[in-house]
Amino acid sequence: METVPFLPSYIGMDLGGTKLLLGEMDRQGNLLRVEKKASGQMDHETAYAFLAQALSSFLSQPTPGYQPCAIGIGLTGHVDGKKGIWMKVDERDGNAVPLADRIAARFSLPCFIDNDVKSAAAAEGLFGVGKDTSDFTYINVGTGIGAGIVTAGHLIRGGHANAGEVGHSSSGLTLGILCACGRKDCVELIASGSDIDACARRFVPKYTNTKLNIPKEGRVSAQEVFALSDTDSLCRELTENAAKALANLMMNIVRVCDPEAIVLGGGVVADGFLLKRAEQYFSAHTMRHVTKGVQLTKMDSHYAGLIGACANAIRGYEELRERKD
């Protein structure tokens, strides 16, 4: 009886602050199965043990007809994807962990890791806008703001794995808000989800009649801010500041990197509202060479991180094969 060969698959793990998503994907970008586990704030050693245990359980139930050939992990914080090292968000907090090597040794599969934003850029390169161009920038506008910059098909990492920290570029506004990076009025301080909340609390004394719900606990909803922006003065200021900051960021990236396309992802921009407001502040001359446009990611927002993690596995594995050949 003829043996039917196994098809290759790729394992992904997306570790966030509250949950871990595990999945298996084929080379065409189809998720074959997905599992979800609750997570929480952990130090790196605890996180490694948690990932290893979850992965062991996941791999113990193979998908019929498929053979995993690589593992990819998407992580928050500072990650050296080239060396496979997971570092602290603040490097002064402790030692770096060679996570990729440790997972690879434990499971006898090559492992490739990166931070969540660069992972999403890898997914765009394989399954999204990267099908039409090898020069694009992916910008994530969520709790914070970061970017994955791809030029000639290569993700820019920088000498210290810090390339893409575009949230700490100047917004072009003069609000006098001091950033932890030492500068004032960084884009992240004005257009990210956490800092739209911070700005609402900072500016509310000027707008005592605002209809915006500013909870004692939890974060102001960016979507509520946008929904009230045409009728509420506080929300109008917050929205227009965020739109200007985001527009200036994209125009700066265009001047520096010359992408053919810009892709936006993350919860703050998911509904497209902020992008439409930002487009009003574009200079047509500056944006003329973005021939494939500024667009929202088409990845499913529920699984974007997991798709990015699987993309790390696919990209890493194929690059490894090329080097061996």
Side-chain angles (χ1 to χ4, degrees), residues 150-321:
V150 177
T151 183
H154 297 285
L155 181 68
I156 296 175
R157 298 186 179 279
H160 304 87
N162 267 326
E165 289 292 330
V166 297
H168 292 288
S169 57
S170 174
S171 66
L173 281 69
T174 53
L175 302 177
I177 306 172
L178 182 63
C179 183
C181 76
R183 305 175 73 192
K184 289 183 179 180
D185 302 322
C186 292
V187 172
E188 189 168 282
L189 296 181
I190 297 163
S192 71
S194 60
D195 287 289
I196 286 175
D197 171 85
C199 284
R201 298 175 191 277
R202 182 176 290 110
F203 299 155
V204 73
K206 297 192 299 180
Y207 301 103
T208 56
N209 294 324
T210 184
K211 298 175 184 176
L212 179 65
N213 176 39
I214 303 180
K216 290 184 179 179
E217 295 186 6
R219 206 162 72 188
V220 167
S221 165
Q223 280 63 42
E224 183 182 354
V225 170
F226 301 154
L228 291 171
S229 61
D230 288 335
T231 59
D232 185 279
S233 297
L234 171 60
C235 294
R236 184 179 302 112
E237 180 173 354
L238 295 172
T239 299
E240 296 309 314
N241 284 348
K244 290 175 186 176
L246 186 59
N248 285 334
L249 171 60
M250 288 188 277
M251 289 189 288
N252 288 340
I253 286 172
V254 167
R255 288 300 189 184
V256 173
C257 303
D258 189 25
E260 289 189 312
I262 295 175
V263 183
L264 298 181
V268 174
V269 296
D271 62 3
F273 181 90
L274 189 59
L275 173 56
K276 288 182 180 179
R277 286 293 179 96
E279 287 173 339
Q280 300 175 36
Y281 296 103
F282 283 162
S283 161
H285 182 73
T286 294
M287 302 297 289
R288 71 193 188 282
H289 292 311
V290 188
T291 52
K292 300 187 184 301
V294 180
Q295 54 190 275
L296 298 177
T297 182
K298 294 179 176 61
M299 286 190 291
D300 185 332
S301 61
H302 296 97
Y303 299 112
L306 179 57
I307 296 168
C310 292
N312 288 338
I314 295 170
R315 264 236 161 117
Y317 180 73
E318 292 181 351
E319 289 175 0
L320 184 63
R321 290 283 299 271

Side-chain angles (χ1 to χ4, degrees), residues 73-120:
I73 308 176
L75 303 153
T76 58
H78 189 186
V79 180
D80 188 331
K82 189 173 182 180
K83 296 180 180 178
I85 297 174
W86 185 21
M87 293 169 273
K88 299 287 186 179
V89 174
D90 184 335
E91 293 177 29
R92 297 168 297 182
D93 289 342
N95 295 324
V97 174
L99 182 63
D101 283 349
R102 291 176 68 175
I103 291 290
R106 181 158 179 168
F107 294 96
S108 300
L109 286 170
C111 179
F112 307 93
I113 70 174
D114 221 326
N115 84 345
D116 48 2
V117 176
K118 290 186 175 68
S119 299

Side-chain angles (χ1 to χ4, degrees), residues 129-142:
V129 71
K131 291 182 177 181
D132 299 317
T133 178
S134 58
D135 291 273
F136 69 91
T137 298
Y138 171 84
I139 305 173
N140 190 82
V141 187

